[in-house]
């Protein structure tokens, strides 16, 4: 460490924020944790939020915030302190950082915290996932890998129900650990009984079919699936309502359709619509099987839904709609549930590609706005903030930011996550793979972290260029 109490000085007029001066060679950076020793002997824990680039030979200057006071036992009393001048400032070590994390069972070690020249444990509060979380970073920055680390920790340390919407089969191995994982962790993850639902074309041993049931969808979701509008398509909509009455648990689609074809003009149009949309060929219908909504809502389990492998792109979106609608319909049960959506721009984007996608987006906007009080929390991952619907992004209180080169995207994140020091956001353009800024209710303070190794295998992986033999 190069900064010493002799060199670095801090002062504060209000005991909440402080300015500092340090030697020009001192390698302090935004996000670094420091210990300030006030002239009266008080020891304060602070965090640097901005460092000004000095002109040649000038001292380093910058600003920080006071986190709280350290006691002799290493404990931390959060809150501001009396004003101070001429205080010494030193980089904080692991023992001083320990007080931030506390010792509760809900502490999830997610990787290594890089502050100053120290590599301390970076832990999140598991209880801090009781709000919406946005994981952002450019392609290849390590979002899906890091999301897996977070999910593994949640599996190990919480009983939260999880519905994981997985567009690239990245989480289909989430239920089984790789060799070398501690027995206790391997057992706990196996005991959680992660269920993996997949299409007929991607399913392998141990997976279950990913299905939906038209009969139990909401009326609006059914109409969206049929692309029917009650005003524009009056006759057909009317035939659709009558048609619904005829669907029972064992109704055979072919027979029903034959009935519609020989019915009123409205019924005939409805039959043609269903044929034209190719709905009879959809493999996603549950028939006698459980639907994904049944599986997700059957308890507090963890369900991975691999959304790939369907013939019609509307099929997986319709499954997601049925699941989210059902979770919403059961919201009064207040069963803590995390809805995890990787590549979230597909489902939470600004430009839905079909009426089903629009309906799903509307529901997710509602979950973003009101879900928190029912224990329905979103964990969304995407490459750019602008790809996520603004009414969803603005409801996210936790940020996990990985490498991000685009200044426009960083500026947008600054708007959406005003509590994160701008200089720390800007530092993300220098992150290497697996590095992340964690900030919000789940982090004790904004932290720069290298995420830890996975305990389970990431499914989909990048495709390698085939090389010729030398
Ligand atoms: N911390 C890490 N340690 C080891 N390997 C990693 C780490 N982070 C990512 N990888 C690997 O790098 C590759 C790309 O990472 P990942 O799939 O997580 O990127 P991504 O940000 O999700 O990209 P995209 O936006 O394209 O989905 C993967 O093969 C992944 O296993
Ligand atoms: Mg990814």
């Amino acid at each position: 460490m190069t900064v010493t109490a002799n060199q670095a000085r801090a002062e504060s007029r209000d005991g909440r924020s402080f300015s500092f001066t340090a030697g020009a060679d001192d390698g302090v950076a935004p996000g670094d944790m420091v210990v300030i020793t006030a002239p009266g002997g008080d020891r304060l824990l602070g965090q640097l939020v901005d460092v000004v680039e000095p002109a040649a030979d000038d001292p380093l200057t910058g600003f920080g915030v006071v986190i709280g006071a350290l006691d002799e036992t290493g404990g931390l009393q959060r809150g501001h302190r009396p004003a101070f001048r001429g205080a010494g400032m030193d980089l904080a070590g692991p023992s001083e950082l320990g007080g931030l994390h506390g010792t509760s069972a809900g502490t999830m070690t997610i990787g290594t915290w890089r502050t100053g020249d120290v590599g301390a444990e970076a832990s999140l509060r598991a209880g801090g996932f009781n709000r919406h979380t946005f994981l952002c970073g450019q392609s290849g920055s390590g979002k899906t890998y890091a999301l897996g680390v977070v999910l593994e920790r949640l599996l190990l340390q919480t009983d939260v129900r999880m519905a994981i919407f997985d567009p690239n089969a990245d989480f289909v191995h989430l239920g089984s650990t790789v060799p070398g994982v501690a027995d206790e962790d391997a057992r706990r993850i196996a005991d959680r009984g992660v269920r993996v639902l997949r299409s007929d074309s991607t399913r392998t041993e141990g997976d279950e079919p990913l299905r939906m049931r038209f009969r139990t969808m909401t009326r609006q979701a059914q109409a969206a699936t049929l692309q029917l509008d009650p005003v524009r398509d009056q006759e057909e909509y009317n035939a659709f309502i009558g048609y619904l009455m005829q669907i029972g648990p064992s109704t055979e689609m072919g027979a029903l359709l034959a009935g519609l074809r020989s019915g009123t003009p409205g019924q005939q149009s409805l039959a043609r619509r269903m044929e034209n949309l190719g709905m009879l060929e959809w493999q996603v219908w549950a028939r006698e099987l459980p639907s994904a909504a049944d599986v997700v809502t059957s308890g507090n389990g963890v369900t991975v839904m691999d959304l790939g492998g369907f013939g019609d792109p509307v099929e997986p979106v319709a499954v997601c709609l049925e699941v989210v609608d059902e979770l919403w319909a059961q919201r009064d049960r207040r069963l803590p549930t995390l809805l995890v959506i990787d590549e979230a721009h597909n489902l939470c984007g600004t430009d839905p590609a079909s009426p089903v996608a629009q309906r799903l987006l509307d529901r997710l906007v509602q979950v973003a706005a009101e879900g928190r009080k029912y224990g329905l929390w979103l964990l969304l991952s995407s490459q750019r903030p602008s790809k996520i619907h603004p009414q969803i992004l603005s409801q996210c209180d936790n940020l996990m930011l990985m490498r991000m080169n685009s200044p426009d995207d960083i500026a947008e994140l600054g708007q959406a996550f005003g509590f994160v020091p701008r200089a720390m956001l800007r530092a993300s353009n220098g992150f290497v793979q697996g590095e992340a800024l964690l900030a919000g209710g789940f982090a004790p303070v904004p932290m720069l972290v290298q995420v830890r190794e996975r305990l389970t295998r990431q499914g989909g992986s990048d495709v390698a260029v085939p090389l010729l033999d030398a």
Side-chain angles (χ1 to χ4, degrees), residues 230-288:
V231 177
R232 192 191 57 215
D233 313 306
Q234 287 182 15
E235 271 196 54
E236 269 182 89
Y237 198 92
N238 210 256
F240 152 68
I241 295 170
Y243 152 86
L244 283 179
M245 305 220 171
Q246 300 168 44
I247 311 184
S250 56
T251 304
E252 211 272 303
M253 271 281 198
L256 192 76
L257 212 70
L260 286 176
R261 279 199 206 99
S262 57
T264 63
Q267 288 173 332
Q268 290 174 22
S269 313
L270 182 61
R272 274 198 302 279
R273 174 183 292 265
M274 291 168 74
E275 284 166 340
N276 293 351
L277 289 172
M279 287 172 62
L280 295 191
E281 288 90 60
W282 282 12
Q283 56 152 286
V284 80
W285 302 125
R287 300 197 168 87
E288 72 289 351

Side-chain angles (χ1 to χ4, degrees), residues 20-82:
F20 70 89
T21 311
D25 298 333
D26 297 330
V28 291
D32 282 353
M33 302 299 295
V34 293
V35 175
I36 295 163
T37 309
D42 259 4
R43 292 178 76 234
L44 310 179
L45 188 67
Q47 183 170 35
L48 307 188
V49 296
D50 205 1
V51 177
V52 180
E53 273 301 316
D57 295 336
D58 282 353
L60 268 179
T61 56
F63 304 93
V65 289
V66 174
I67 307 294
L70 293 161
D71 61 30
E72 307 78 52
T73 62
L76 178 74
Q77 294 294 322
R78 277 190 179 258
H80 63 279
R81 311 300 298 176

Side-chain angles (χ1 to χ4, degrees), residues 145-210:
Y145 187 99
L147 184 55
V149 170
V150 170
L151 297 181
E152 289 165 2
R153 292 293 128 188
L154 289 168
L155 280 176
L156 287 173
Q157 286 174 266
T158 73
D159 272 329
V160 70
R161 172 166 72 178
M162 292 192 237
I164 302 167
F165 300 92
D166 179 8
N168 298 321
D170 281 308
F171 297 108
V172 295
H173 306 301
L174 190 64
S176 53
T177 44
V178 294
V181 170
D183 285 350
E184 195 188 336
D185 290 350
R187 224 178 1 254
R188 165 73 187 163
I189 288 185
D191 286 351
R192 282 292 260 141
V194 175
R195 293 174 75 171
V196 179
L197 313 184
R198 309 185 76 178
S199 69
D200 292 352
S201 59
T202 52
R203 199 161 55 248
T204 57
E205 209 187 320
D207 303 334
E208 300 172 67
L210 179 65

Side-chain angles (χ1 to χ4, degrees), residues 137-146 168 170 342-343 381 383 433-434 450-452 458 460-462:
Q138 64 193 50
S139 182
S141 57
K143 295 183 297 299
T144 300
Y145 187 99
N168 298 321
D170 281 308
D342 197 6
E343 310 270 3
S381 167
Q383 293 169 358
Q433 191 179 59
Q450 177 71 42
V451 299
R452 65 188 296 162
Q458 186 170 336
S461 59
D462 293 352

